[in-house]
Amino acid sequence: MAKKAKPKVKYLSLNGKVVPWAEANIHILSPAMKYAANVFEGIRGYWNADEKQMYIFRLEEHLRRLQFSMKVMRYDESFSVAYLQDCIIDLIRANKLRQNTYIRLFAYVDEPDGGMSAGAPVGLAIAATPRGPRGEPGKGMNCQVSSWLRLPETSMPPRIKCVANYYNSRLAWAQARLDGYDNAILMTQKGTVSEGPGACLFIVRNGVPVTSSLTSDILESITRDTVIQLCAEYFELDAVQRDIGRTELYAAEEAFYAGTGHEILPISSIDRMAVGTGDIGPLTQKVMDTYAELVEGAIPDHPEWRTPVYDK
Ligand SMILES: Cc1ncc(COP(=O)(O)O)c(C=O)c1O
């Protein structure tokens, strides 16, 4: 039998209330379970030890995307940004988290044995748990171009975070792992590069950062947007958003994933071909460093991107 996961924190948040871990349950016959009628957000909070403060990175943008996901899923109800923000901050404070934290919000259709129709009540669950970086420090990922294609906008909405989309990601990720790679890159149905299973992708060509356009069946990633802005502001580089061909992945000098969970994660090989020298590239390293300083508030720019959790 699988081992029971040990709770990492005492409390979760359910429908606006902080509740003990074991009490945050939903009915097995809710549409969230039966039809994956469930949208979510993944957000990071960063602990700034000097200031003894946690900063949640680009919280408002994440909460607006959750509202957008709820709209596209045709939920009847929504939650205000202020309400969601209060629920998150109450939960982090209740768990007394003073370390880097991952915040996951779910908004799901919650009606025991409910059907597919609109109008059912929407539940809200939040978890905030300690979380470090992905990958091994100083090492890049070895990636496989997946034979699973990214789900197209004609069938499912890749622009939102509905839980059902993640089976597409999971298939690509599982295939890559079973084939001996660390992670996957998914292509669109038209054969251009889309994104990773849980992060967008950047390559560097002739010193210029390039990322798949917003019509490449990608999630409208907040980290992707941050990278585009920081390349312009700190390195005077205008990132190009366009179609990327598969063989450009092999021609790239550098490549990295960008996402809230992945943060800036270098890629060292694709389909067993080294990306550039196979080491972390110079622009990738600069983006990683600047991103790390920005999220923590070590660089004071963009204070609007950091929401403090604790009262001073
Ligand atoms: C499919 C997918 N693409 C891209 C991203 C990156 O988005 P963001 O930077 O907003 O976290 C994520 C992660 O959340 C994702 O799940």
Side-chain angles (χ1 to χ4, degrees):
M1 223 169 71
K3 262 206 327 216
K4 256 196 174 168
K6 208 168 156 252
K8 296 190 187 99
V9 286
K10 261 190 169 167
Y11 302 110
L12 298 173
S13 169
L14 196 65
N15 298 324
K17 290 202 182 74
V18 170
V19 297
W21 171 281
E23 289 172 25
N25 301 310
I26 63 165
H27 200 278
I28 188 73
L29 291 181
S30 66
M33 284 295 299
K34 289 198 295 189
Y35 310 116
N38 189 356
V39 296
F40 75 107
E41 266 307 316
I43 311 172
R44 275 191 188 260
Y46 290 90
W47 181 245
N48 182 314
D50 293 339
E51 295 179 28
K52 301 205 177 355
Q53 181 60 277
M54 183 190 295
Y55 289 114
I56 306 178
F57 192 62
R58 302 197 67 175
L59 177 59
E60 183 170 345
E61 291 88 334
H62 279 282
L63 298 180
R64 293 215 179 282
R65 190 170 64 192
L66 185 76
Q67 290 176 325
F68 177 63
S69 294
M70 293 175 75
K71 171 180 165 180
V72 175
M73 292 285 278
R74 300 194 181 276
Y75 288 3
D76 268 4
E77 291 176 48
S78 195
F79 304 108
S80 72
V81 165
Y83 172 74
L84 293 168
Q85 176 165 325
D86 286 350
C87 292
I88 292 171
I89 290 180
D90 285 351
L91 178 64
I92 295 174
R93 289 182 182 172
N95 281 316
K96 300 187 173 64
L97 287 162
R98 288 183 154 70
Q99 64 217 103
N100 290 351
T101 292
Y102 191 77
I103 304 148
R104 197 182 277 272
L105 283 90
F106 294 102
Y108 52 93
V109 181
D110 183 19
E111 186 183 34
D113 216 10
M116 289 248 223
S117 63
V122 178
L124 174 70
I126 310 172
T129 50
R131 172 88 77 97
R134 275 187 76 138
E136 273 179 60
K139 277 190 79 179
M141 302 250 114
N142 297 308
C143 297
Q144 177 186 49
V145 174
S146 186
S147 61
W148 293 103
L149 301 178
R150 174 75 176 152
L151 49 89
E153 182 132 66
T154 45
S155 304
M156 284 289 277
R159 213 174 291 279
I160 67 168
K161 282 179 85 77
C162 62
V163 167
N165 284 357
Y166 285 79
Y167 226 88
N168 177 236
S169 305
R170 190 175 158 86
L171 287 168
W173 178 82
Q175 179 192 28
R177 297 298 296 229
L178 288 169
D179 289 350
Y181 297 85
D182 301 316
N183 213 338
I185 296 170
L186 290 96
M187 309 295 285
T188 63
Q189 306 258 331
K190 65 177 183 185
T192 57
V193 174
S194 180
E195 61 178 355
C200 283
L201 190 90
F202 281 80
I203 60 171
V204 180
R205 298 220 56 195
N206 303 314
V208 177
V210 182
T211 191
S212 307
S213 67
L214 287 176
T215 45
S216 304
D217 296 330
I218 64 170
L219 183 74
E220 288 197 8
S221 153
I222 293 158
T223 318
R224 175 184 178 279
D225 176 71
T226 305
V227 171
I228 292 170
Q229 289 198 53
L230 74 80
C231 281
E233 289 173 22
Y234 298 98
F235 313 128
E236 289 176 15
L237 284 172
D238 282 331
V240 178
Q241 304 178 51
R242 62 163 172 82
D243 282 354
I244 299 176
R246 176 171 182 161
T247 49
E248 281 192 276
L249 297 174
Y250 311 141
E253 299 126 51
E254 304 181 34
F256 59 88
Y257 289 114
T260 299
H262 289 58
E263 302 172 295
I264 310 302
L265 195 56
I267 295 175
S268 48
S269 75
I270 300 173
D271 291 342
R272 307 264 183 243
M273 282 181 263
V275 175
T277 62
D279 293 327
I280 300 176
L283 181 61
T284 307
Q285 189 64 57
K286 285 200 291 189
V287 173
M288 285 168 76
D289 295 344
T290 309
Y291 184 79
E293 287 174 345
L294 267 172
V295 295
E296 234 189 54
I299 302 179
D301 305 340
H302 290 289
E304 75 283 5
W305 284 352
R306 292 179 295 276
T307 303
V309 168
Y310 292 102
D311 294 327
K312 289 290 184 110

